[in-house]
Amino acid sequence: MAKISINLKDGSVEKESAPSAIVGIDLGTTNSLVAFINNNKPVILKNDRNKHQLVPSIIHFTQNGEIIVGDQARELITDSPERTIYSVKRLMGKSYIDISDSQESMGYTILSTDEDKLVKVKIDDCYLTPIELSSHVLRELKTIAEQSLSQEIDKAVITVPAYFNNTQRQATRDAGKLAGLDVLRIVNEPTAAALAYGIGAKNSEEIVAVYDLGGGTFDISILHIQDGIFEVLSTHGDTYLGGDDFDHSIMNYWIEKYELSLNQESGGKHYGQDLRLLAEAAKKHLSSNQVFKAKLNDMDIQLSRNQFDNLIQPLIDRTLLSCQSSLNDASLDRDKINSVIMVGGSTRIPLVKKMVSEFFEQEVNDTINPDEVVALGAAIQADILAGNRTDMLLLDITPLSLGIETIGGLMDTIIPRNSKVPTKAGRQYTTSIDGQVNLKIAVYQGERDFVSDNRKLGEFTLKGIPPMAAGMPKIDIQFIIDGDGILRVKATELRSNVATEVQIKSQYGISEEEMALMLKDSMMNVQSDMDHRALIEAQNEGQNVVLHTNKFLDQNNWLEVTEVDHLQELKSILISMIKEGTKDQINSAMDNLNTYSRPLAEKALDHNIQSALKGKEIL
Ligand code: ADP
Ligand code: MG
């Protein structure tokens, strides 16, 4: 076990006494890659199984419980869409409310409720979180790295979009944990890209625009880089714009030009899929050729570079609008941008390079493979963490995660480990009992899911909350770590402004050995912790649904006897599942109850409106 030493006071950082490889991972919406530093140069790792170095971020679940990731999974999308999960990154750290207004239409089932809970995907009788799904992609990358480097890999740096919030970053970190990786740092994708281009190593100040056009998303980030500190000045983008849209434009163009009909042709969905693959092939071919020609069911079809450019120009125009917005947000004119970096497979398209270059009025940086640049940068970051690059500065970081205890003894992390200090982060909580006037806040440090396995730093009570129904108070808890590494915790009830604050000193008074042990512990117990956490979360969620159902039954005495009976029956099934079922059984019982009660709730609404019209009071 490598020893880890971190001293926040004097600024020295993580060092490994026994070197063990740290890999850099780009966990993409469309494709993922793993990279490592070899002879001072970052290289993308591959094994015999993956034909290309890119691993499509696609996970297929076979009928008999096997899990297939990557190219092979991609081939199964058409035949078995309901068991083949793609674009998981869009769901990371998202609640049902977050995705309810997006035009999400996947071939697989995302559970739908209008609750403020994290989304789950349903396959057969299993309910899978985006964290579990992403962990399969990460596990595949870990295997590739292990086979390629002939050693066990348990440490990684993973990249995320600059706009990812705390929950999304935490979800990515958890996915790493679940895949058996200690995620030493979460790095912004544009930061990694800049690192790959060697920006940040010099003792200079630069403003960089990173233009990232991938398979399904577009991001523009403007970074200010000085003395090794990467600051994101602004980010913009479009979460539904990328190479897939170019493929669709080509398909539609061909359908119209050659009067193709997707439905009538033999082959049905396969024909549509073939056409899509052909469109993507045409797009890629046109990045380095002027004309694309092919046969589709004995018909000659073709597309010229010019025709393609006309099709996609409006889409590229949209990305430039985002670029302008991000300049505006950063209060910068385009002539203040020192370099423009091209990221993402779709920036291979000549028209994209040309239009971006014209917009920023300068040559763009495209010498590094655009779909590898983020992973290569992540490998450089990993190398910095491994202590192999003294030319680069590292920021002060928190050695272990800090958080508070929530219902069920769960650790709710507020400042994740390896956050830069000074730092500040907060979250809102509420009460769980009607009329609750005091709230005990217990602060913990550590990586395990249950506070009992972590180290308690202190405890205090927020007193004098005005009595309200459970769930009504809005309690804001802020964690503030100053430059000296001292944590202050502040709790405020926002409706009444009742506040209290404590200072928690010497939070880093843990020996190196103790810290290494805590980290090792958290690595070894990931699977059981996650299972236990998922069960407790499902139980808590189930309890809420039971309470709601009781309220609903109380308030709606006009319901028909059969409806009441059925609701009661579904409710008691749920109650018994909460008592002794697995998380999947609880989820399934909840799902059944919700499905049955949803139309009744609509009926209740109508009923109440009618009662009101009759001069009665609304309940
Ligand atoms: P993400 O970051 O979203 O995971 P990538 O950066 O890997 O995605 O980009 C994938 C997209 O790049 C796909 O739409 C793919 O068709 C496109 N792409 C890859 N190579 C080329 C090329 N030579 N010309 C045009 N588009 C390409
Ligand atoms: Mg990407």
Side-chain angles (χ1 to χ4, degrees):
M1 174 73 199
K3 204 158 97 177
I4 298 161
S5 67
I6 302 163
N7 188 336
L8 278 160
K9 293 270 158 60
D10 67 9
S12 63
V13 285
E14 301 198 350
K15 282 199 195 83
E16 314 273 26
S17 51
S20 91
I22 309 174
V23 293
I25 291 178
D26 171 6
L27 182 60
T29 312
T30 318
N31 296 304
S32 298
L33 302 89
V34 54
F36 184 67
I37 299 284
N38 191 10
N39 287 333
N40 274 329
K41 279 191 76 136
V43 288
I44 302 291
L45 301 176
K46 60 174 175 175
N47 66 1
D48 308 335
R49 201 148 47 91
N50 62 325
K51 287 177 273 177
H52 341 286
Q53 302 179 330
L54 299 179
V55 177
S57 311
I58 303 174
I59 311 116
H60 176 82
F61 294 82
T62 67
Q63 305 273 8
N64 45 25
E66 243 182 295
I67 297 167
I68 300 171
V69 175
D71 285 314
Q72 265 182 299
R74 186 181 169 168
E75 281 161 19
L76 294 163
I77 287 188
T78 320
D79 275 342
S80 153
E82 69 290 341
R83 321 182 67 88
T84 312
I85 319 295
Y86 58 91
S87 287
V88 180
K89 192 170 173 179
R90 293 187 194 284
L91 304 177
M92 284 296 261
K94 295 279 181 73
S95 68
Y96 295 106
I97 291 174
D98 292 332
I99 58 165
S100 63
D101 54 351
S102 66
Q103 59 272 56
E104 217 66 60
S105 68
M106 314 278 206
Y108 50 88
T109 312
I110 298 175
L111 289 188
S112 76
T113 79
D114 35 2
E115 282 178 86
D116 190 14
K117 293 275 151 48
L118 295 180
V119 296
K120 289 191 200 88
V121 168
K122 185 169 191 267
I123 296 171
D124 296 339
D125 291 332
C126 278
Y127 295 79
L128 298 157
T129 63
I131 295 175
E132 291 171 89
L133 292 164
S134 294
S135 81
H136 293 302
V137 176
L138 289 170
R139 202 166 291 140
E140 175 76 11
L141 296 172
K142 179 177 185 289
T143 308
I144 290 175
E146 286 176 341
Q147 288 174 352
S148 162
L149 297 172
S150 305
Q151 62 168 291
E152 201 192 317
I153 300 292
D154 60 2
K155 294 188 179 61
V157 165
I158 304 181
T159 59
V160 297
Y163 61 78
F164 255 31
N165 65 27
N166 243 340
T167 318
Q168 293 169 301
R169 284 166 198 261
Q170 191 63 44
T172 306
R173 192 180 279 278
D174 286 349
K177 260 203 213 176
L178 200 54
L181 291 168
D182 181 7
V183 182
L184 297 179
R185 191 164 298 183
I186 296 284
V187 187
N188 287 331
E189 286 161 11
T191 299
L195 273 177
Y197 273 99
I199 298 171
K202 311 165 231 163
N203 249 354
S204 65
E205 184 178 356
E206 270 200 75
I207 294 180
V208 178
V210 182
Y211 180 101
D212 183 348
L213 190 57
T217 57
F218 166 67
D219 301 317
I220 171 80
S221 315
I222 298 187
L223 308 179
H224 173 241
I225 303 160
Q226 187 171 21
D227 301 331
I229 297 176
F230 290 71
E231 185 190 358
V232 181
L233 295 182
S234 63
T235 68
H236 255 269
D238 191 328
T239 41
Y240 289 92
L241 178 60
D244 296 347
D245 299 290
F246 301 165
D247 303 346
H248 281 127
S249 306
I250 298 177
M251 279 175 75
N252 291 337
Y253 174 79
W254 281 341
I255 288 172
E256 196 169 312
K257 180 168 174 193
Y258 299 112
E259 295 177 354
L260 309 175
S261 162
L262 289 186
N263 306 330
Q264 288 159 22
E265 299 293 330
S266 59
K269 60 182 179 180
H270 285 283
Y271 182 70
Q273 175 72 349
D274 290 348
L275 193 63
R276 205 191 61 72
L277 290 175
L278 205 59
E280 188 179 5
K283 172 185 76 174
K284 290 185 178 172
H285 183 79
L286 290 174
S287 285
S288 44
N289 299 276
Q290 291 297 332
V291 194
F292 173 84
K293 288 184 180 159
K295 269 200 190 307
L296 180 73
N297 287 2
D298 293 333
M299 187 195 285
D300 284 314
I301 60 169
Q302 61 165 302
L303 185 72
S304 72
R305 167 87 66 87
N306 236 333
Q307 288 162 332
F308 176 58
D309 285 355
N310 286 335
L311 291 176
I312 63 169
Q313 186 169 354
L315 297 170
I316 306 175
D317 273 330
R318 267 168 57 192
T319 69
L320 299 181
L321 286 177
S322 289
C323 292
Q324 187 55 55
S325 308
S326 67
L327 284 171
N328 296 348
D329 284 358
S331 309
L332 288 172
D333 289 331
R334 26 189 117 167
D335 61 350
K336 290 285 182 302
I337 304 291
N338 303 114
S339 12
V340 180
I341 293 177
M342 300 302 263
V343 178
S346 301
T347 62
R348 286 230 178 78
I349 298 170
L351 184 67
V352 172
K353 288 187 205 178
K354 179 166 171 276
M355 287 175 67
V356 174
S357 163
E358 279 168 9
F359 176 85
F360 284 103
E361 295 163 351
Q362 59 184 287
E363 290 277 304
V364 295
N365 287 287
D366 62 353
T367 49
I368 303 180
N369 220 334
D371 40 34
E372 296 180 354
V373 61
V374 168
L376 296 174
I380 295 176
Q381 175 72 51
D383 205 34
I384 299 175
L385 288 176
N388 298 334
R389 283 176 186 237
T390 43
D391 56 329
M392 298 211 186
L393 195 86
L394 261 185
L395 308 168
D396 272 342
I397 48 174
T398 54
L400 290 168
S401 302
L402 298 163
I404 65 166
E405 175 178 356
T406 55
I407 289 189
L410 286 175
M411 167 91 171
D412 197 21
T413 297
I414 294 188
I415 296 184
R417 114 175 233 262
N418 284 336
S419 296
K420 178 173 94 177
V421 293
T423 186
K424 196 178 137 182
R427 198 165 299 169
Q428 281 190 16
Y429 298 87
T430 189
T431 52
S432 52
I433 300 169
D434 285 338
Q436 190 172 336
V437 292
N438 292 336
L439 183 74
K440 194 182 82 184
I441 297 156
V443 182
Y444 284 84
Q445 180 179 43
E447 309 311 310
R448 296 283 299 275
D449 280 349
F450 289 87
V451 293
S452 51
D453 301 319
N454 291 331
R455 182 189 166 105
K456 190 166 181 177
L457 296 176
E459 184 181 294
F460 67 106
T461 305
L462 175 65
K463 290 185 183 141
I465 305 170
M468 285 180 245
M472 280 301 284
K474 279 191 179 168
I475 295 157
D476 180 61
I477 298 192
Q478 291 287 333
F479 274 37
I480 304 142
I481 305 182
D482 63 19
D484 294 332
I486 291 174
L487 173 69
R488 271 187 302 138
V489 181
K490 199 176 160 186
T492 316
E493 200 292 300
L494 296 175
R495 293 183 195 276
S496 60
N497 250 338
V498 171
T500 182
E501 184 174 332
V502 288
Q503 208 173 67
I504 294 168
K505 284 200 191 114
S506 67
Q507 53 156 326
Y508 302 116
I510 298 181
S511 71
E512 287 163 11
E513 287 74 17
E514 217 180 331
M515 187 141 65
L517 259 178
M518 284 172 87
L519 288 177
K520 189 174 154 201
D521 228 35
S522 81
M523 295 299 301
M524 283 171 43
N525 291 293
V526 170
Q527 187 66 56
S528 65
D529 267 11
M530 295 283 265
D531 290 349
H532 193 180
R533 176 185 273 266
L535 178 64
I536 294 221
E537 277 172 359
Q539 285 168 342
N540 289 342
E541 213 175 321
Q543 286 294 3
N544 265 335
V545 173
V546 171
L547 285 179
H548 270 117
T549 309
N550 286 340
K551 245 185 201 161
F552 183 76
L553 285 167
D554 277 356
Q555 289 175 346
N556 296 284
N557 47 20
W558 51 268
L559 285 169
E560 291 182 18
V561 182
T562 50
E563 292 169 337
V564 173
D565 284 352
H566 197 58
L567 265 180
Q568 292 285 17
E569 190 190 323
L570 289 172
K571 190 186 80 180
S572 45
I573 294 176
L574 176 57
I575 292 174
S576 66
M577 285 308 144
I578 292 172
K579 271 199 203 117
E580 51 197 16
T582 64
K583 71 149 190 183
D584 286 334
Q585 288 170 325
I586 300 172
N587 275 314
S588 164
M590 247 181 330
D591 210 19
N592 291 339
L593 182 56
N594 281 333
T595 309
Y596 184 73
S597 65
R598 207 169 295 133
L600 291 182
E602 272 162 30
K603 232 163 100 181
L605 213 66
D606 288 350
H607 182 90
N608 290 340
I609 290 169
Q610 282 162 15
S611 313
L613 289 178
K614 282 187 211 137
K616 287 184 196 155
E617 220 181 317
I618 294 190
L619 288 166

